[in-house]
Amino acid sequence: MNKATRKAVIAGNWKMNMTPSQATALINEMKPLVAGADCEVVLCVPFVDIPAAIEAAKGSNIRIGAENVHFKASGAYTGEIAADMLKELGVEYVVIGHSERRQYFGETDQTVNLRTLAALNAGLKPIVCVGETLEQRELGYTETLLKFQTKMALTNVTADQLKDVVIAYEPVWAIGTGVTATADQADEGNGFVRAAIAEAYGADVAEAVTVQYGGSMNAKNAAELVAKTNVDGGLIGGASLKAADFSVIVKAASEQK
Ligand code: 13P
């Protein structure tokens, strides 16, 4: 398997934006713009927007994802959301280990792994985020860190389960900053992720895994980024809140085929 046969996934990460009624309006605007896309189109939305988003996306090619999931199946974890709850609503994907959760909410490589396993066990497709800070990059630790984060996230995930896993390489310094990694930096980072999977599971398994790039991907730079050998789509923050911009990114990924 190679880039031509791997599934490209363009996923929006709305972060803490959009009320349920705004979600409905935005998805209704997006639907005709992304119809017929030759890539997977996903919108990861705040928990409370999920029912409205699922309803609005019905009958379209837009899949709905969540932005986090707890690692326990149920119990006394006030304020948390379990994988089965998301599954029952019709959620298909879930972002796990976003750098904002690592930075602000105490997410660790270990909890990223536990959430990944919980999502897979419930039949959800995890979009697992990895990425280095600027300081780590400048110290020369990018490859070591990306490989470590990737392997930690996938501990006890079987090769068969890996078919449902998407990894997003999101350099922390490129998130929400308007500073995008160059296409070569994105390709290199995604390559480190794929190499880590190859080390753990073998090259054939690694070649089949979708690895996205994320970090200030927008309507202008998407085509160059998704053209790279190791870049199978993107995880998009700010530009996923604008129907026109998001649809240009989806089109760029579709045209890679
Ligand atoms: P921006 O596209 O806003 O930089 O956010 C990227 C991101 O964090 C997606 O998860």
Side-chain angles (χ1 to χ4, degrees):
M1 196 175 266
N2 56 33
K3 184 174 173 69
T5 45
R6 277 195 298 269
K7 185 177 58 173
V9 179
I10 295 293
N13 172 11
W14 284 1
K15 308 192 179 184
M16 197 173 73
N17 294 291
M18 298 284 144
T19 65
S21 62
Q22 289 169 337
T24 300
L26 183 54
I27 292 171
N28 283 336
E29 197 185 343
M30 280 181 180
K31 277 194 289 191
L33 301 178
V34 302
D38 192 10
C39 64
E40 186 91 328
V41 182
V42 184
L43 292 174
C44 299
V45 306
F47 288 131
V48 294
D49 291 352
I50 289 171
I54 298 265
E55 184 60 31
K58 248 184 207 154
S60 79
N61 59 331
I62 298 175
R63 313 269 167 246
I64 300 303
E67 298 178 13
N68 191 22
V69 63
H70 194 57
F71 40 83
K72 295 284 188 180
S74 64
Y77 302 99
T78 302
E80 294 297 324
I81 301 287
D84 277 351
M85 300 173 185
L86 299 173
K87 184 73 183 167
E88 189 174 310
L89 288 178
V91 169
E92 293 181 52
Y93 287 83
V94 58
V95 176
I96 293 175
H98 192 279
S99 65
E100 287 149 15
R101 295 216 63 86
R102 293 179 192 255
Q103 187 179 349
Y104 304 129
F105 303 104
E107 194 75 63
T108 66
D109 290 314
Q110 193 189 13
T111 53
V112 169
N113 174 237
L114 294 175
R115 291 182 210 278
T116 301
L117 292 169
L120 287 168
N121 287 337
L124 298 170
K125 296 174 183 166
I127 299 176
V128 179
C129 302
V130 297
E132 82 287 1
T133 63
L134 188 58
E135 188 185 16
Q136 289 162 339
R137 171 168 282 267
E138 286 173 351
L139 287 169
Y141 290 136
T142 302
E143 177 174 2
T144 307
L145 188 97
L146 291 180
K147 287 186 167 178
F148 181 78
Q149 286 185 339
T150 302
K151 288 180 186 174
M152 282 288 286
L154 298 177
T155 304
N156 294 326
V157 172
T158 66
D160 195 46
Q161 285 176 314
L162 209 53
K163 294 190 185 98
D164 288 326
V165 175
V166 173
I167 310 277
Y169 167 50
E170 297 207 309
V172 177
W173 47 271
I175 294 176
T177 56
V179 180
T180 316
T182 64
D184 285 340
Q185 285 172 324
D187 197 43
E188 183 186 50
N190 283 28
F192 293 148
V193 169
R194 201 178 304 288
I197 301 171
E199 285 167 17
Y201 296 87
D204 287 353
V205 172
E207 276 301 306
V209 177
T210 297
V211 185
Q212 302 173 311
Y213 167 78
S216 300
M217 193 188 271
N218 58 39
K220 286 206 177 78
N221 60 29
E224 193 189 350
L225 289 162
V226 299
K228 285 292 176 180
T229 312
N230 275 309
V231 180
D232 310 313
L235 185 56
I236 295 106
S240 73
L241 298 169
K242 295 179 194 137
D245 289 9
F246 188 66
S247 69
V248 169
I249 299 170
V250 167
K251 196 155 174 275
S254 298
E255 285 170 357
Q256 277 309 303
K257 295 279 159 172

